[in-house]
Amino acid sequence: MKQTIKKALTLLSVYYAYMLEYRSELILWVLSGSLPIILMGVWIQAAQGGKFGFTAVEFARYFFAVFLIRQITVVWVIYDFEKEVVEGKLSPRLLQPLDPGFHHLFTHVAERFARMPFVFILIGLFFLLYPQAFWMPSLANLLLFVLAAILAFSLRFLIQYTFAMFAFWTERATAIENVWFFFFLFLSGMIAPLDVFPEAVRNVVMFTPFPYLINFPASILVGLPVDLTRGFLSIVGWLLVFLGANRLLWRAGLKRYSGMGA
């Protein structure tokens, strides 16, 4: 156990130092995730002339939470993994006594630590410009949000890493992610809270992994009513599904990768 912790801390420190070399890019990455802030303005205006069950302030708080959870759960592993497979750079990783997935995982975790100072600056600026939306979540909601955010990141990473396995069969595995992202954009709660969806649509969407990546943790943070038991069990269930699929595709893909002589 001590050796495992030591390896994990070493990887984290190495990739954190690597991420600090790209501070200017980190700022751009943070700003690229500001779509929820733009949508917040749209929905605030809509709330003033329509009946959506949300006030303008509630929309502002929700989309602030969406912005925050997006900063925590952004993932790009499929692009790096596809490049490693296509260019044959995966081979040296296979010689190491560590699953290559851990390198990608710790890269993402280190990037979160490097990203957070810029995120906090934007959070302060947001509440400075729109003080009406300021609120303090309860300690219970805050802790549950942290847990939901960690699980949401884990699920988002595992889903994309599973799609990345198709790079063993095609040079454009990222096309799968692009199709998936289209549904993710509309069904995760990023474009609009799922509470404004028709009930029939919402009931169907809740059986997919999409709501638990954005809407579920965001709703917890702002205090919207959510089924905590169903939410957390659904995340764990989808994690197990994609973990199983990932390991099956990894084993099958490695045989093909070796056969190709990459």
Side-chain angles (χ1 to χ4, degrees):
M1 179 62 70
K2 291 182 178 179
Q3 288 295 323
T4 301
I5 295 175
K6 185 178 180 180
K7 291 178 182 178
L9 291 176
T10 301
L11 280 174
L12 188 60
S13 62
V14 168
Y15 285 121
Y16 178 72
Y18 175 76
M19 286 297 168
L20 289 180
E21 297 179 3
Y22 297 92
R23 292 185 183 91
S24 58
E25 285 191 31
L26 279 174
I27 297 175
L28 295 177
W29 292 344
V30 171
L31 292 176
S32 69
S34 59
L35 175 62
I37 303 300
I38 298 172
L39 292 171
M40 176 190 70
V42 175
W43 281 102
I44 286 176
Q45 291 297 319
Q48 296 174 357
K51 297 180 180 179
F52 297 101
F54 280 69
T55 65
V57 170
E58 287 173 335
F59 270 122
R61 290 175 179 173
Y62 174 81
F63 281 105
F64 161 77
V66 171
F67 167 77
L68 185 57
I69 192 66
R70 279 287 292 144
Q71 297 297 328
I72 296 173
T73 61
V74 62
V75 174
W76 64 87
V77 61
I78 192 169
Y79 301 96
D80 288 347
F81 188 83
E82 180 185 82
K83 184 177 180 180
E84 288 181 353
V85 173
V86 171
E87 297 181 2
K89 295 180 179 179
L90 180 63
S91 301
R93 292 271 175 94
L94 296 176
L95 299 176
Q96 300 175 8
L98 184 69
D99 190 294
F102 285 105
H103 287 281
H104 296 290
L105 176 62
F106 280 101
T107 299
H108 283 67
V109 174
E111 194 269 352
R112 288 313 100 92
F113 285 107
R115 172 188 293 251
M116 280 302 115
F118 303 111
V119 174
F120 290 140
I121 291 173
L122 287 180
I123 290 174
L125 182 61
F126 169 78
F127 286 123
L128 182 64
L129 296 175
Y130 198 70
Q132 304 96 313
F134 182 79
W135 92 107
M136 289 294 293
S138 66
L139 180 60
N141 280 0
L142 187 60
L143 293 176
L144 287 171
F145 168 75
V146 171
L147 176 59
I150 293 173
L151 290 174
F153 163 72
S154 302
L155 179 57
R156 182 78 178 96
F157 179 87
L158 191 54
I159 289 173
Q160 195 178 107
Y161 191 42
T162 300
F163 292 156
M165 296 297 107
F166 288 97
F168 289 118
W169 289 271
T170 174
E171 295 182 357
R172 290 293 177 266
T174 49
I176 302 173
E177 169 64 16
N178 293 335
V179 174
W180 169 272
F181 187 78
F182 175 79
F183 292 98
F184 168 78
L185 192 64
F186 289 96
L187 302 181
S188 65
M190 187 191 306
I191 295 295
L194 293 186
D195 289 333
V196 306
F197 282 39
E199 185 177 358
V201 175
R202 187 168 62 249
N203 290 338
V204 173
V205 172
M206 294 305 293
F207 286 99
T208 72
F210 298 111
Y212 310 105
L213 299 173
I214 297 289
N215 189 83
F216 179 65
S219 297
I220 291 176
L221 184 62
V222 299
L224 294 176
V226 290
D227 189 336
L228 293 174
T229 302
R230 177 179 179 177
F232 283 112
L233 287 178
S234 296
I235 294 178
V236 172
W238 282 112
L239 277 169
L240 293 175
V241 168
F242 279 98
L243 179 61
N246 180 277
R247 293 299 85 187
L248 288 174
L249 290 170
W250 169 255
R251 294 189 184 97
L254 273 184
K255 296 177 182 179
R256 183 175 179 85
Y257 180 78
S258 300
M260 291 169 60

